[in-house]
Amino acid sequence: MTATTDSAPTRLAQSWCALSVLHNRIEAHVERALEAGHGLSVREFSLLDVLSRQHPGEGGHLRMAQVAEAVVLSQSATTRLVTRLEDRGLLTRYLCATDRRGIYTDVGEAGLALLAQARPTHDEALRQALADAAAEPELAPLVKALESLDCGA
């Protein structure tokens, strides 16, 4: 192999880099909109969103490890995030009735109201960030792929 071949980025690496750029741009755009409009970070919005989808039936509540996985944070970072939102009166924590080691978290009325107010801001910022990215030739195929996904919504 030549030095040029060894140091040249692979197509996969270039694609991964483009995906990373797209993600970072979208997240930064949405973050600015949520912070400015509602005093929420993307992670806080995501946590409220995930927890708002819980239900009282069997399997309806997520343990902290599941919440951490859903918001893509470590368990300790998720716990700190939950604590911040709990301190703001947006969440409540309580022990599982059947397993006293389990701690559940619910979104309170204030959290649901803030989430409902923030959702249109989130969605519009996401649409705008994707439209901006679609105008760039290296990101346009990723935007098209993302828009073609059917995630059950």
Side-chain angles (χ1 to χ4, degrees):
M1 293 191 150
T2 66
T4 305
T5 305
D6 290 341
S7 64
T10 64
R11 185 169 171 85
L12 181 60
Q14 289 172 327
S15 298
W16 171 248
C17 184
L19 180 60
S20 181
V21 166
L22 178 63
H23 174 268
N24 291 337
R25 285 189 189 177
I26 290 169
E27 188 169 58
H29 188 86
V30 173
E31 180 89 26
R32 286 189 300 272
L34 287 173
E35 282 287 349
H38 307 283
L40 280 176
S41 70
V42 168
R43 297 284 190 213
E44 290 168 338
F45 178 88
S46 295
L47 179 65
L48 290 173
D49 183 52
V50 165
L51 293 175
S52 74
R53 296 168 193 237
Q54 297 182 121
H55 58 84
E58 186 173 333
H61 277 85
L62 302 173
R63 292 186 176 269
M64 289 301 286
Q66 294 169 300
V67 173
E69 187 175 309
V71 296
V72 193
L73 289 173
S74 68
Q75 284 190 30
S76 61
T78 301
T79 298
R80 289 190 302 273
L81 182 59
V82 166
T83 298
R84 282 197 309 272
L85 293 178
E86 186 177 36
D87 290 347
R88 290 173 59 184
L90 303 174
L91 303 176
T92 56
R93 279 188 268 201
Y94 61 94
L95 293 175
C96 174
T98 58
D99 180 358
R100 304 297 284 179
R101 297 169 296 171
I103 298 174
Y104 291 133
T105 305
D106 276 335
V107 180
E109 291 302 317
L112 291 172
L114 182 56
L115 180 63
Q117 292 168 0
R119 190 174 304 284
T121 302
H122 173 274
D123 293 351
E124 179 54 35
L126 177 59
R127 275 191 289 279
Q128 183 61 53
L130 287 169
D132 292 349
E136 297 185 36
E138 67 275 7
L139 299 178
L142 291 170
V143 173
K144 186 174 181 176
L146 181 62
E147 290 172 338
S148 72
L149 293 176
D150 180 8
C151 297

